[in-house]
Amino acid sequence: MRRSLPLILLLFLVPVFLLSSPASAAAAKPTRAERKAQKEAIEKLPDKYRQWLRTVDLLITEEELETFLALEKDYQRDAFIE
């Protein structure tokens, strides 16, 4: 009976691990139309925010980028950056 406990844990942990893997995160990539809309939104930003986005390009998540691009006022963008 004691040997079955690790097997039960393994059967529980493997699906949890697979769901949190980078492969599942890759599924959240934006579509071509979404990337085009993001690019257009970035082009409309003041230069200081475009430069900031270039600086954090490798660090910012897709969700954070969408949130940042949804902001309408500069003071909101400044607070986001802080």
Side-chain angles (χ1 to χ4, degrees):
M1 195 64 134
R2 291 184 66 124
R3 290 186 179 192
S4 63
L5 184 59
L7 179 60
I8 292 170
L9 287 175
L10 182 64
L11 291 174
F12 172 76
L13 292 176
V14 168
V16 171
F17 174 75
L18 291 176
L19 289 174
S20 64
S21 71
S24 63
K29 288 185 180 179
T31 64
R32 185 179 302 215
E34 290 170 334
R35 284 194 308 268
K36 182 178 179 185
Q38 285 179 349
K39 184 177 179 181
E40 290 171 356
I42 291 170
E43 289 173 357
K44 293 178 183 177
L45 289 172
D47 189 49
K48 76 177 195 174
Y49 300 116
R50 285 184 303 206
Q51 288 178 356
W52 179 78
L53 284 172
R54 282 191 291 271
T55 301
V56 299
D57 182 50
L58 295 175
L59 303 173
I60 195 167
T61 66
E62 188 61 35
E63 183 179 7
E64 290 168 333
L65 177 60
E66 289 173 9
T67 302
F68 182 78
L69 294 177
L71 299 174
E72 298 178 359
K73 305 286 183 186
D74 286 349
Y75 74 89
Q76 295 169 317
R77 295 181 188 107
D78 292 335
F80 182 95
I81 291 170
E82 288 300 314

